[in-house]
Amino acid sequence: MGKRQKQKFNLRISSVTENLEIIRDFISRIALKGGFDSENADQVALAVDEACTNVIKHAHHHDARRMIDINVFLLNDRIRIDVTDTGKGFDPKNLSEPNLAKYAQEARHGGLGIHLMRSLMDEVHYDFKTGKKNRVSLVKYLNKQNA
Amino acid sequence: MSGFSVSRNDDANISKLYLSGFLDAHTVPKFEEALQSCLNDEQYNIIVNLKDLDYISSAGLGVFMGFIEEIRESGGDIKLTNLSNKVHKVFDLLGFPALFEIYDNENEANQKFTSG
């Protein structure tokens, strides 16, 4: 496998759900460029949609003046996407594993999205600095692509 | 823009909703309105045909969860049909097949309503 330079792509976009489609297209194209097949590129785009939806709803409260920063890194063996907001963080460590009876309640608080992110990606990391920036990092490896 | 649309077709006491396009946090209100209109008309047997649905995020799945309790309490159900592999995968990841009946086509869902 030949080494390749790390490539970085940035998108800074207004924090509104209307932009989710643009965000998905942006992510999907980069994932394809990085060697993911279309199914896996779609999965990465869905995970980023979930991360951004949580930011728009729970951190920025649909305030269109606030911005989401999306930084994408294409590395030799993986793609990493950092989604950064400037709102109050939501700590997913307080969220338990899926419980069907609690789904309806969790759905209102972004719980389904966090479970999806964990399922679709190989790694999900959170970095909370209350009152400052909160960041979720999503990682997917090329060699773990589902057949 | 690709967007999202939903259309409704009532067949006796069964309402059929046809979803098309991209169902995400931006487009869910249209789907919620369609389901609410069924409830307002006291139509509780609902088939949601996903043949032309290209994309669903957890926001879309949350709509099903938000309505199912009330619909089942009223003696009805939401049955899903014609899921693409891509959409089915998302349902699978969240364990939805344990919560909702999923059929290959409308006929099967129809029969379940009429025989059940």
Side-chain angles (χ1 to χ4, degrees):
Chain A
M1 195 190 294
K3 276 256 178 190
R4 74 163 178 240
Q5 289 284 73
K6 185 168 89 171
Q7 294 184 74
K8 187 177 177 189
F9 305 83
N10 301 322
L11 177 65
R12 186 172 170 83
I13 195 163
S14 177
S15 187
V16 289
T17 55
E18 189 177 356
N19 286 335
L20 288 170
E21 187 172 16
I22 292 168
I23 291 168
R24 290 194 300 267
D25 287 348
F26 173 73
I27 296 297
S28 170
R29 279 168 193 264
I30 296 169
L32 288 170
K33 179 181 167 64
F36 289 89
D37 62 25
S38 62
E39 181 183 346
N40 280 276
D42 285 346
Q43 290 184 4
V44 175
L46 172 54
V48 175
D49 173 320
E50 299 293 348
C52 292
T53 296
N54 280 345
V55 168
I56 293 165
K57 286 186 179 177
H58 305 297
H60 291 166
H61 304 288
H62 297 276
D63 183 348
R65 292 168 299 182
R66 305 185 70 170
M67 306 297 281
I68 306 176
D69 280 313
I70 302 168
N71 301 310
V72 187
F73 304 88
L74 275 185
L75 307 169
N76 199 36
D77 59 344
R78 64 193 184 275
I79 187 170
R80 189 182 104 213
I81 305 102
D82 293 349
V83 176
T84 308
D85 68 72
T86 53
K88 200 166 62 124
F90 166 67
D91 191 347
K93 288 182 190 130
N94 296 330
L95 189 73
S96 56
E97 285 302 300
N99 175 337
L100 298 185
K102 289 184 179 169
Y103 258 13
Q105 192 182 355
E106 282 189 5
R108 296 188 198 107
H109 296 96
L112 292 181
I114 285 169
H115 293 309
L116 259 190
M117 280 192 278
R118 287 176 179 157
S119 303
L120 295 167
M121 304 299 286
D122 294 314
E123 295 171 17
V124 181
H125 304 286
Y126 302 92
D127 181 19
F128 292 111
K129 295 190 177 73
T130 308
K132 295 180 182 173
K133 285 187 176 180
N134 309 297
R135 186 176 68 203
V136 56
S137 294
L138 305 165
V139 178
K140 196 172 183 78
Y141 289 88
L142 271 167
N143 62 3
K144 290 186 183 172
Q145 287 194 71
N146 300 324
Chain B
M1 297 292 277
S2 37
F4 170 79
S5 68
V6 52
S7 61
R8 174 177 159 188
N9 179 23
D10 285 5
D11 182 5
N13 67 334
I14 298 173
S15 283
K16 296 170 182 171
L17 297 179
Y18 297 87
L19 310 192
S20 171
F22 293 71
L23 184 55
D24 64 12
H26 188 61
T27 57
V28 288
K30 282 185 187 171
F31 182 33
E32 288 173 331
E33 283 170 22
L35 278 172
Q36 190 59 53
S37 79
C38 292
L39 301 198
N40 293 346
D41 296 340
E42 299 185 345
Q43 287 277 28
Y44 300 112
N45 293 338
I46 299 167
I47 293 175
V48 181
N49 187 323
L50 303 180
K51 180 170 75 73
D52 295 318
L53 190 70
D54 296 307
Y55 177 86
I56 189 166
S57 70
S58 69
L61 295 160
V63 177
F64 289 99
M65 295 309 306
F67 278 87
I68 192 62
E69 199 172 340
E70 180 180 353
I71 287 170
R72 287 184 178 154
E73 280 174 0
S74 304
D77 196 18
I78 298 175
K79 299 188 196 299
L80 306 165
T81 75
N82 300 81
L83 280 68
S84 68
N85 288 339
K86 182 179 164 186
V87 168
H88 205 301
K89 166 117 187 159
V90 180
F91 277 82
D92 272 341
L93 284 173
L94 291 174
F96 269 56
L99 298 168
F100 291 88
E101 294 178 25
I102 298 175
Y103 297 100
D104 289 340
N105 56 60
E106 278 186 22
N107 281 343
E108 291 178 22
N110 255 319
Q111 283 171 8
K112 280 288 171 182
F113 273 128
T114 50
S115 68

